[in-house]
């Protein structure tokens, strides 16, 4: 009801008219059928211009009536002289309209500033893209936004660049949301990007890192899938590319990379959640990152963030043979996980993908590792199955806060072990 | 042949998930849900002609009160070859679980006194919210899904209850409560989201029974 009122008020406001000053809304309870009839008569008196928000139907059930200021006295006299009981529900309708307009504008305004963005709730793709712009506006000398390509459905693929200068500095790549149903990851990405921007100049570790290295952060890595989880199917994982000759849509973007591509750790069935696609890098979302990292030439780490299972993983997923740097990656994972598990219940396991979770072919981190990016890790964030993909939004800030020290450990290690 | 297994590696963690699901089925109710908190030691024994037997030391937690944990030892035997036989699971809990008679009875009375049969959808919703009055409905599904998971698990699967798509209470004239659930199971290895229908019978003194369950087809457009 209030929504209709506000809409009407806004329509009126566009004509610069204040329609409801001094108007009141009365709650009227007719005690018998005769009183119901009298109230209907009231409605028929055109010059009174009363407006029933809730019509009188049966005795004992309340009716709500907006009465213009000019008719107030006449209506009240009518009700009282007929013994019809009423109370004043809204003392001044215009005041209420003004308050609501203010609240709506305030909420829109506050969302436009990063200091009041609600990190504890899940957001739509438009809200996230808008927030990215405000982050850049708030930290213009540190953060910029670049576009590395377009999704299958032509959505822009945006990457936030954190840089204090230099030319083609060694870089760390972070991505979240490659599997669109893993909503905690995009949410953690937003918080973390904000944290990086705020912590520069305050936190010694991140300051040291950004003084020598750049960070590239793709938060909505699979925008088509993400939009689909909002509009149609919350459990959608893959891209939204059409598969020729199949009624099933989408390719698993974490099986589409050219590392062990097409093996048994992925599916050749387009209807499958782990469908690898017709060929490696067939997906625009994947190709864009491949081209970016290859073109950059100085990326030292790829950290791809997923959920759920609470794990910190490193190559390989496509073969059982340990990666040449297995020991170093394992030690680093062990340290990062110990800084993550500061509170019980946040216990993470760690190890290579193929040992810890399953065989997976064509993954992001395996491709990165095989292309010279030594520090390639996959996070699987909260939880371990109780909510799974449907993690309550109240857990976004604790998840991001607790993951931060682990991310820092990895980034500091990279800074201290240049290669 | 018997060997120790690293608890962080998937063979042990899949067996542990199955054991936890089974315990939840056997001990769960409208007032109690149990989840796997941690896996301690794990071992596997390959028995010729029979199958693979896992020995597990688990820590389970009460989902309603995460401070409350209980230690559990379990044995899971996956039968060789025949995929139609559910794994054998045996377990022992160390110590007592919190008594839920009161919470169970409150929920039972509440549902029994409803004028219209309960109907609900999307628990949790997209944002992970569960209305407090739906929590017992969810815990019953959690326990019942433990049965479905147990019956359908192999060494190559790891199931979790992802969501209740719909629940409809079935009218009964006897003392039992009956619910028809359409749930989504997430199977970790294939990453599939599998719709599953199950009929669940419950009474505070009689535990959870799944009288009928069937896997549902997934639509290609989903």
């Amino acid at each position: 009801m209030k929504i209709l009122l506000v809409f009407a008020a806004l329509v009126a406001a566009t004509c610069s008219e204040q329609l409801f000053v001094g108007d009141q809304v009365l709650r009227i309870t007719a005690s018998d059928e005769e009183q119901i009839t009298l109230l209907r008569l009231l409605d028929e008196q055109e010059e009174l211009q009363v407006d029933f928000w809730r019509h009188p139907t049966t005795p004992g059930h309340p009716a709500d009536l907006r009465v213009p200021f000019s008719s107030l006295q006449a209506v009240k006299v009518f009700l009282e002289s007929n013994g019809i009981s009423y109370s004043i529900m809204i003392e001044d309708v215009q005041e209420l309209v003004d308050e609501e307009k203010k609240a709506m504008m305030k909420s829109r305004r506050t969302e436009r500033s990063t200091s009041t963005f609600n990190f504890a709730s899940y957001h739509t793709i438009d809200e996230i893209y808008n927030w990215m712009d405000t982050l850049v506006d708030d930290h213009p000398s540190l953060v910029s936004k670049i576009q590395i390509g377009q999704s299958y459905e032509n959505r822009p693929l945006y990457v936030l660049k954190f840089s204090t200068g230099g030319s083609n500095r060694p870089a760390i790549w972070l991505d979240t949301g490659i599997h669109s149903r893993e909503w905690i990851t995009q949410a953690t990405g937003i918080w973390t990007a904000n944290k990086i921007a705020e912590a520069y100049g305050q936190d010694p570790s991140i300051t040291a890192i950004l003084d020598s290295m750049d960070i590239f952060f793709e938060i909505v890595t699979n925008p088509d899938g993400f939009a689909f989880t909002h509009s149609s199917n919350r459990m959608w994982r893959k891209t939204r590319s059409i598969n020729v000759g199949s009624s099933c849509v989408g390719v698993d973007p974490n099986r589409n990379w050219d590392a062990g591509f097409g093996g048994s750790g992925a599916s050749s069935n387009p209807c499958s959640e782990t469908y690898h696609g017709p060929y490696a890098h067939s997906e625009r979302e994947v190709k864009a990152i491949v081209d970016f990292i290859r073109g950059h030439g100085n990326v030292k780490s790829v950290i791809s963030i997923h959920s759920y299972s609470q794990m910190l993983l490193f190559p390989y997923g496509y073969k059982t043979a340990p990666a040449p740097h297995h020991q170093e990656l394992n030690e680093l994972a062990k340290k990062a996980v110990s800084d993550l598990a500061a509170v019980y219940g946040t216990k993470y396991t760690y190890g290579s993908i193929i040992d810890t979770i399953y065989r997976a072919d064509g993954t992001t981190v395996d491709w990165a590792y095989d292309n010279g990016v030594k520090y390639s890790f996959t996070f699987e964030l909260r939880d371990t199955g109780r909510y799974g993909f449907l993690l309550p939004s109240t857990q976004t800030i604790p998840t991001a806060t607790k993951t931060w020290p682990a991310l820092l450990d990895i980034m500091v290690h990279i800074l201290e072990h240049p290669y | 042949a018997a060997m120790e297994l690293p608890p962080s590696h998937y063979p042990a963690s899949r067996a542990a998930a199955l054991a936890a699901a089974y315990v939840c089925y056997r001990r769960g109710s409208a007032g109690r849900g149990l989840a796997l908190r941690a896996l301690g030691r794990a071992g596997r024994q390959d028995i010729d002609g029979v199958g693979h037997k896992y020995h597990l030391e688990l820590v389970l937690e009460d989902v309603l009160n995460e401070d409350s944990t209980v230690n559990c030892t379990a044995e899971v035997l996956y039968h060789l070859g025949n995929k139609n036989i559910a794994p054998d699971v045996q377990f022992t809990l160390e110590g007592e679980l919190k008594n839920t008679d009161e919470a169970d009875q409150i929920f039972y009375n509440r549902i029994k006194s409803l004028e219209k049969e309960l109907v609900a959808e999307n628990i949790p919703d997209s944002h992970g919210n569960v209305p407090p009055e739906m929590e017992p409905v969810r815990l019953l599904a959690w326990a019942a899904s433990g049965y479905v998971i147990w019956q359908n698990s192999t060494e190559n699967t790891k199931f979790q209850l992802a969501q209740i798509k719909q629940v409809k209470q079935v009218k009964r004239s006897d003392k039992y409560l009956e619910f028809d659930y359409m749930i989504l199971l997430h199977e970790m290895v294939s990453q599939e989201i599998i719709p599953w229908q199950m009929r669940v019978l419950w009474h505070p003194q009689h535990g959870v029974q799944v009288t009928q369950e069937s896997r549902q087809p997934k639509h290609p457009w989903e």
Side-chain angles (χ1 to χ4, degrees):
Chain A
M1 218 17 103
K2 273 196 197 151
I3 298 166
L4 286 174
L5 174 63
V6 172
F7 178 71
L10 287 174
V11 167
T14 61
C15 315
S16 305
E17 261 187 77
Q18 282 198 322
L19 273 186
F20 308 112
V21 182
D23 293 6
Q24 291 190 346
V25 176
L26 307 179
R27 176 152 283 178
I28 305 167
T29 310
S31 55
D32 55 36
E33 282 296 341
E34 208 195 301
Q35 290 195 343
I36 300 271
T37 314
L38 285 170
L39 289 174
R40 295 223 179 94
L41 280 177
L42 200 60
D43 201 8
E44 281 160 28
Q45 303 226 20
E46 291 222 19
E47 70 278 13
L48 288 177
Q49 296 257 300
V50 301
D51 169 25
F52 274 100
W53 283 9
R54 186 159 38 162
H55 283 271
T57 47
T58 31
H61 283 98
D64 294 335
L65 179 66
R66 182 184 63 82
V67 183
F69 180 68
S70 53
S71 312
L72 260 180
Q73 201 179 25
V75 169
K76 283 179 179 172
V77 162
F78 174 83
L79 293 172
E80 283 159 24
S81 61
N82 283 292
I84 303 175
S85 67
Y86 72 93
S87 61
I88 301 172
M89 206 168 71
I90 300 175
E91 292 241 18
D92 186 329
V93 175
Q94 187 59 39
E95 268 181 29
L96 191 67
V97 167
D98 288 344
E99 264 175 53
E100 284 191 342
K101 252 206 301 195
K102 255 192 256 161
M104 267 171 61
M105 282 172 57
K106 186 171 177 234
S107 143
R108 266 194 234 120
R109 233 199 333 266
T110 55
E111 287 279 5
R112 278 197 230 112
S113 159
T114 51
S115 59
T116 46
F117 184 85
N118 190 356
F119 296 103
S121 71
Y122 290 124
H123 293 275
T124 62
I125 192 173
D126 288 335
E127 287 167 356
I128 297 174
Y129 280 5
N130 285 336
W131 168 84
M132 283 183 194
D133 290 336
T134 62
L135 186 73
V136 170
D137 284 345
D138 287 355
H139 305 273
S141 53
L142 179 66
V143 191
S144 56
K145 185 178 86 174
I146 59 179
Q147 182 171 346
I148 61 168
Q150 281 186 314
S151 70
Y152 184 83
E153 291 172 350
N154 294 314
R155 289 184 174 84
L157 300 170
Y158 288 134
V159 172
L160 292 170
K161 177 182 178 182
F162 298 81
S163 179
T164 58
S167 172
N168 198 235
R169 284 180 173 171
I172 297 166
W173 169 275
L174 291 157
D175 64 70
T176 53
I178 199 170
H179 288 141
S180 38
R181 62 190 180 198
E182 297 164 10
W183 279 17
I184 188 60
T185 69
Q186 297 95 336
T188 297
I190 294 166
W191 185 94
T192 305
N194 188 63
K195 178 74 175 174
I196 294 170
E198 297 214 319
Y200 177 73
Q202 315 289 331
D203 175 294
S205 300
I206 201 72
T207 307
I209 290 162
L210 283 171
D211 279 344
S212 328
M213 304 182 75
D214 292 343
I215 296 173
F216 293 94
F217 205 150
E218 188 176 11
I219 293 176
V220 190
T221 307
N222 179 4
D224 296 349
F226 189 57
F228 198 71
T229 58
H230 279 273
S231 66
S232 311
N233 182 353
R234 174 63 176 83
M235 297 292 181
W236 191 260
R237 166 184 169 92
K238 301 187 287 182
T239 62
R240 291 292 301 164
S241 55
I242 309 273
N243 291 312
V244 178
S246 172
S247 54
C248 293
V249 175
V251 167
D252 185 342
N254 200 29
R255 299 289 185 280
N256 187 243
W257 301 72
D258 195 9
F261 178 82
S264 62
S267 172
S268 54
N269 180 350
C271 298
S272 165
E273 295 280 25
T274 55
Y275 175 50
H276 48 57
Y279 52 89
H281 308 168
S282 60
E283 302 311 283
R284 292 168 109 190
E285 297 82 354
V286 170
K287 184 75 165 56
I289 303 173
V290 167
D291 289 346
F292 176 81
I293 291 177
R294 277 206 181 122
H296 186 281
N298 209 14
V299 173
K300 298 301 178 189
S301 171
V302 164
I303 301 172
S304 194
I305 299 175
H306 292 247
S307 79
Y308 60 93
S309 283
Q310 295 183 193
M311 295 171 175
L312 179 49
L313 307 167
F314 48 86
Y316 286 109
Y318 76 87
K319 56 182 175 182
T320 50
H325 306 98
H326 178 98
Q327 205 177 353
E328 183 187 357
L329 295 174
N330 199 59
E331 284 301 310
L332 180 52
K334 183 176 176 184
K335 174 167 186 10
V337 153
S338 72
D339 288 333
L340 230 181
V343 180
Y344 76 75
T346 323
K347 197 153 183 259
Y348 273 55
T349 50
Y350 61 94
S352 70
I353 296 168
I354 199 166
D355 284 341
T356 312
I357 189 169
Y358 41 53
R359 178 165 171 178
D361 297 345
T363 64
T364 309
V365 294
D366 283 0
W367 174 85
Y369 187 77
D370 278 353
N371 281 272
V373 183
K374 185 181 5 166
Y375 297 110
S376 293
F377 287 95
T378 298
F379 272 90
E380 293 279 355
L381 300 181
R382 288 193 196 178
D383 58 13
T384 53
R386 183 164 158 213
Y387 285 94
F389 301 121
L390 304 183
L391 197 71
S393 53
T394 48
Q395 290 199 34
T396 58
I397 296 183
T399 303
T401 323
K402 294 203 163 70
T403 311
W404 174 249
L407 270 175
L408 262 190
D409 279 342
I410 297 173
M411 293 199 284
V412 165
H413 185 95
I414 299 163
L415 177 70
E416 293 174 350
H417 298 82
Y419 66 94
Chain B
M3 55 181 170
E4 190 90 5
L5 293 177
S8 59
H9 290 189
Y10 68 75
S13 69
R14 286 176 197 173
L18 166 57
Y22 182 77
V23 176
C24 198
Y25 159 59
R26 297 308 302 265
R27 292 284 185 273
S29 73
R32 179 194 293 135
L34 295 169
L36 180 65
R37 166 82 78 95
L39 172 61
R41 295 184 63 182
R44 188 175 88 205
Q45 203 188 344
D46 294 348
I47 307 170
D48 281 339
V50 178
H52 297 156
K53 193 186 232 190
Y54 290 75
H55 301 265
L56 307 160
E57 287 176 14
L58 314 170
V59 180
L60 302 173
E61 69 183 19
D62 182 336
V63 305
L64 293 178
N65 177 14
E66 280 156 13
D67 283 327
S68 170
T69 63
V70 67
N71 291 338
C72 174
T73 51
E75 268 181 17
V76 175
L77 171 61
Y78 294 99
H79 297 279
L80 244 148
N82 196 330
K83 297 288 182 245
N84 289 328
I85 306 177
D88 291 345
V89 187
Q90 292 186 314
F91 69 93
T92 314
L93 293 176
E94 282 169 43
E96 294 288 311
L97 291 171
K98 196 180 110 190
N99 188 298
T100 58
D101 290 350
E102 205 189 314
D104 287 345
Q105 200 60 47
I106 290 172
F107 173 70
Y108 179 82
N109 293 340
R110 199 187 110 212
I111 302 298
K112 271 294 180 193
S113 64
L114 287 177
E115 278 177 18
K116 274 184 68 185
E117 283 78 45
L118 181 143
V119 174
E121 293 183 332
N122 292 333
I123 299 167
D125 66 16
S126 284
H127 292 237
N129 298 319
V130 178
E133 68 273 15
M134 285 298 146
E135 192 64 57
V137 172
R138 178 161 181 251
L139 291 176
L140 277 182
W142 187 251
S145 68
Y147 172 84
V148 174
I149 290 169
W150 165 46
Q151 290 291 308
N152 291 276
S153 286
T154 69
E155 276 169 298
N156 299 316
T157 62
K158 192 176 183 194
F159 288 99
Q160 292 286 345
L161 172 65
Q163 192 183 35
I164 300 165
K165 280 310 281 181
Q166 195 184 57
V167 54
K168 283 191 227 178
Q169 184 186 357
V170 179
K171 201 173 163 69
R172 280 187 86 87
S173 48
D174 63 15
K175 66 181 177 179
Y176 287 91
L177 294 184
E178 187 173 4
F179 297 95
D180 195 307
Y181 283 95
M182 183 64 76
I183 58 171
L184 295 179
L185 288 179
H186 174 227
E187 200 291 292
M188 185 67 76
V189 182
S190 64
Q191 290 294 343
E192 294 296 331
I193 300 289
I194 309 167
W196 215 290
Q197 178 266 337
M198 54 184 194
R199 270 298 177 100
V200 181
L201 220 55
W202 178 71
H203 182 274
Q205 273 93 57
H206 294 274
V208 174
Q209 262 178 276
V210 179
T211 54
Q212 182 253 322
E213 46 102 348
S214 65
R215 186 178 175 138
Q216 301 297 301
K218 195 173 113 172
H219 301 117
W221 57 82
E222 278 179 328

